[in-house]
Amino acid sequence: MIRATQIKPRHRWTETPADTVVLDFDDRHRRRMAMTGTHGLAFLLDLENAVALRGGDALVLEDGRLVEVVAAAEPLVEIKGADPHHLIRVAWHLGNRHLPTQIMPKALRIRRDHVIEAMVKGLGARVIEIEAPFDPEGGAYAEAAAHGHAHESHAHEDHTHEAHTHEAHAHEGHAQHKHAHHDHAHDHHHAHDHDNRHGHGHHEDHHGHSHAHDHD
């Protein structure tokens, strides 16, 4: 099976990809895993270290072909506050619980969790269920995180989805001050709204958008 051994970051490649893989947040942080593209191209992701892939990155196959990474839509909740100060306060509580959090221009996004949603509502925030790609804080310094957090265990993975998930790591929603959790290699400051990726508009059908219910 042909291997993918390198990554080209989004915006740094222009070639037409040979195929596309649609991956959720967990499967975008792997070292070694068998994958199959949407058009049937089978290959083995085989990296030196686990790397957090982002939508728009490209996996480089041994023969030079590229496979584009598309972030899959996932069940999320979008949290909105009365004003920026209110949203910062909510972000602090999420960060204090070590929850992977995506920071949007005027909202926070987390995976659905009824307990956390109740807490957020208790803080006076608005909670809206959505389906969208999840790109929490943490992707930008993936290699540093891989070196700092015992991802060496991935060397023993088989070609299944047994790799450890990144949900146990604390990607705090720190919209205010980057508090003490920055001593970990998890806090990375590149959360963006990835609905507008690197110009490959032909993949927009893969990207979920927030059209769900207001749970106030």
Side-chain angles (χ1 to χ4, degrees):
M1 180 181 289
I2 192 167
R3 299 182 304 151
T5 57
Q6 299 179 55
I7 298 168
K8 284 190 175 183
R10 59 194 188 125
H11 304 308
R12 296 189 182 179
W13 58 279
T14 57
E15 303 94 317
T16 300
D19 210 333
T20 298
V21 285
V22 182
L23 305 172
D24 65 15
F25 171 55
D26 291 332
D27 283 344
R28 292 200 310 275
H29 197 283
R30 304 291 184 180
R31 189 195 74 82
R32 193 168 191 266
M33 186 175 78
M35 295 183 174
T36 301
T38 57
H39 296 295
L41 176 60
F43 62 96
L44 176 65
L45 180 69
D46 192 9
L47 304 175
E48 183 177 350
N49 297 291
V51 174
L53 301 169
R54 310 193 78 169
D57 288 348
L59 305 175
V60 184
L61 301 177
E62 292 173 300
D63 60 6
R65 289 180 295 167
L66 302 182
V67 177
E68 183 179 7
V69 175
V70 172
E74 302 184 49
L76 307 176
V77 291
E78 187 162 281
I79 301 166
K80 296 188 175 182
D83 52 46
H85 183 270
H86 185 200
L87 197 61
I88 287 170
R89 181 167 173 259
V90 174
W92 184 90
H93 283 277
L94 297 177
N96 196 43
R97 285 159 178 77
H98 290 209
L99 285 174
T101 302
Q102 182 175 356
I103 301 175
M104 310 297 292
K106 296 183 180 180
L108 304 170
R109 287 180 180 177
I110 61 172
R111 281 174 159 169
R112 291 183 191 171
D113 182 319
H114 295 304
V115 173
I116 299 301
E117 290 169 40
M119 177 199 76
V120 168
K121 289 176 183 177
L123 294 170
R126 193 153 53 100
V127 174
I128 305 167
E129 289 187 359
I130 65 170
E131 296 277 339
F134 188 43
D135 197 7
E137 292 289 292
Y141 297 107
E143 293 197 36
H147 286 293
H149 298 289
H151 292 308
E152 293 82 359
S153 60
H154 287 279
H156 303 291
E157 290 175 9
D158 62 15
H159 299 171
T160 69
H161 284 55
E162 293 176 2
H164 99 162
T165 68
H166 216 53
E167 189 163 343
H169 296 321
H171 299 299
E172 288 106 17
H174 54 290
Q176 184 181 25
H177 301 292
K178 296 178 180 178
H179 51 66
H181 295 293
H182 266 49
D183 295 335
H184 302 289
H186 307 298
D187 290 322
H188 313 301
H189 58 293
H190 289 283
H192 304 290
D193 185 352
H194 292 291
D195 291 338
N196 296 314
R197 286 180 170 77
H198 56 78
H200 293 270
H202 57 288
H203 292 305
E204 294 213 352
D205 57 325
H206 294 296
H207 301 284
H209 299 286
S210 52
H211 296 293
H213 328 288
D214 191 327
H215 279 253
D216 265 334

